Every structure is written in structure tokens, then in C-alpha cells.
Amino acid sequence: MLAADTLILGARSVLRSQRNPATMISAFVLPLLFFTLFFVVMRRVMAAQGFDYVQLLPPTIVAQAMLFAGMSSAYYVAADRLSGITARLRSMPLHRAAPILGRSVGDLIRSLISLVPITVVGVIVGMRFDNALGVVGFALVALAFGLVASLGMGLIGYVASSPDAAVSIASMPYLPLLMLSTGFVPVENFPGWLQPFVEWQPVTAVIDALRAFTGEGDIGSTLPVAAAWMGGLALLFAALGARAFKRTS
């Protein structure tokens, strides 16, 4: 029953995304725009410090794109709640996990739309993978992070006053977590008192794992940390999401 309910609600999520071209276009265009801007502005600055920005930047933009996909989830959850669809789903004989899992299918599609062009452009400008396993691992870590982000930001949709407010609130954790990470500059560039947070927060862990699959780091030490963060947060967000769905009226 869970599988059937998830497939039905997943198909709905995908169709709804297709009916909103702005969401799909932004999932494709915005990551490419950010990549171009940071690449042009920061490449020479980072090269002067001995860093190869061609290898370091694409994983950061991929992580950023996954967070953007999560914001879309916050928007759609709020829209469903305010339109009464969430309450109607609660009254139907659906498995309680199906709405969350079904929504994740649509989020996964949006994540793929962002992941593929950034990876392709990164390879075109010089990013390299050691082997095919690196490409697969890179994609799996990115998509897993996208699902965790969508679960977390979907929670905001259950309490926001409107879909637009949900997106605004979702940007509040997105900005500090991304900017206070090793995504754009190394940890040594931050003040000493801030470095422990920068080094051990979840976005840094994911970016480090993505970079390891491109040969910039050790997979054995970075992947377990990223997996622990994503697994723990996924369980927490899923539990809170199920509780919020149950309480929606």
C-alpha cells in the first residue's frame, strides 16, 4: 500500500512541477548563473592562494542547487496546506508516509534538473573525476542531500502563512549554512572562533564528500561524516514532517 500510494502522489508531484515552468526553469538556470558569477569573480583570487577553483566550485554549486530544490518543497507544502489538499489527504486511506515520500519524487526530479547541467558544465571547464565510480558517488551524494533539504524545508510549509512566506523563511537557514561553509573559501579564511562551526556543519560535510569524488579529498574520511549528517537529519525531518502532516487541519 505504501508503494502504490507513494507512486500516485509522486506522479502528482511531478505533474504539478511540469505545470509550473518557472520552477523548472529556475532549477536549470539559477545554478548555472551562480556558477558563472563565482567562477568569473573568484577563480583568479583562489588561484593566487593555490586553490584550483575548477575542481572546488562545481560541488559547491551542486549543494546550493539542492538547497534551492528544498525551497520549492516548502512552497508546494504551504500551497497544499492552504488550499485544503493536505487536510483532504489526511482524510483518505493513505499510508501516513506516502505524502512525504511522494513529494520527495517531485523534489528528486527538480534536483536532477539542477545536478546534470552543473556537472556537465563543470566537466567542460575542467572538473575531472577519477573514474566512473566517482561520477556515480557524486550524483548519489548530491541527490541524497537534495532529499534531506526537501524534507527539512518542507516542514516550513506546514507553518508558514503563505507559499511565498515559506520560501522567504526557508532562505534563512540556507544562506548562513552555505556561506559559512568551505564551499567558496577554505576554512582558514574564516575567523578562528568561527572555524569549528564552518568545519563541522552539514553543508561543509556534503561539499567535502562531493569534492572527494572528484579527487579533491579522501572519500574514506569525508563520506561517513556526510552520510551521518544526512541520515540523522533525514530521520529527524521525516519524523517531524509526519507529525506536522498528522496535525494539519
Side-chain angles (χ1 to χ4, degrees):
M1 184 176 180
L2 173 59
D5 293 343
T6 298
L7 287 175
I8 292 171
L9 294 177
R12 172 184 177 268
S13 181
V14 172
L15 289 174
R16 183 173 58 175
S17 296
Q18 291 177 343
R19 293 180 186 135
N20 188 354
T23 300
M24 308 305 280
I25 292 173
S26 64
F28 182 88
V29 173
L30 282 179
L32 291 176
L33 178 61
F34 276 103
F35 177 85
T36 302
L37 291 174
F38 278 102
F39 188 76
V40 171
V41 173
M42 297 292 293
R43 184 183 182 185
R44 292 186 178 180
V45 174
M46 297 305 295
Q49 299 184 37
F51 296 98
D52 183 5
Y53 221 43
V54 172
Q55 287 291 105
L56 298 182
L57 181 61
T60 302
I61 302 301
V62 165
Q64 182 187 40
M66 300 303 103
L67 291 170
F68 273 136
M71 291 185 191
S72 297
S73 186
Y75 178 92
Y76 285 124
V77 169
D80 280 352
R81 178 176 60 83
L82 294 176
S83 66
I85 292 177
T86 301
R88 181 165 183 174
L89 290 176
R90 278 194 59 211
S91 67
M92 299 174 67
L94 295 171
H95 193 285
R96 285 292 178 254
I100 295 175
L101 295 176
R103 188 182 80 234
S104 297
V105 174
D107 297 333
L108 184 64
I109 298 300
R110 288 191 294 273
S111 296
L112 274 171
I113 292 173
S114 298
L115 172 63
V116 172
I118 284 299
T119 305
V120 171
V121 170
V123 171
I124 290 174
V125 300
M127 182 178 71
R128 294 292 178 263
F129 295 93
D130 290 337
N131 48 50
L133 181 61
V135 178
V136 174
F138 185 90
L140 290 177
V141 170
L143 294 176
F145 181 57
L147 290 177
V148 172
S150 72
L151 288 173
M153 296 198 177
L155 290 172
I156 298 173
Y158 286 114
V159 298
S161 60
S162 69
D164 291 336
V167 174
S168 298
I169 296 171
S171 67
M172 296 174 68
Y174 148 75
L175 286 172
L177 284 174
L178 183 66
M179 300 309 296
L180 298 180
S181 74
T182 57
F184 298 110
V185 296
V187 66
E188 294 81 8
N189 286 25
F190 290 91
W193 59 270
L194 193 56
Q195 289 181 12
F197 172 80
V198 173
E199 188 173 2
W200 291 105
Q201 57 117 322
V203 175
T204 289
V206 170
I207 292 173
D208 287 347
L210 291 172
R211 286 172 174 167
F213 281 106
T214 69
E216 296 293 322
D218 177 43
I219 295 176
S221 61
T222 58
L223 183 59
V225 176
W229 267 115
M230 290 190 291
L233 290 174
L235 290 175
L236 174 63
F237 294 153
L240 293 176
R243 183 178 181 184
F245 173 80
K246 185 177 180 180
R247 290 188 171 186
T248 301
S249 62

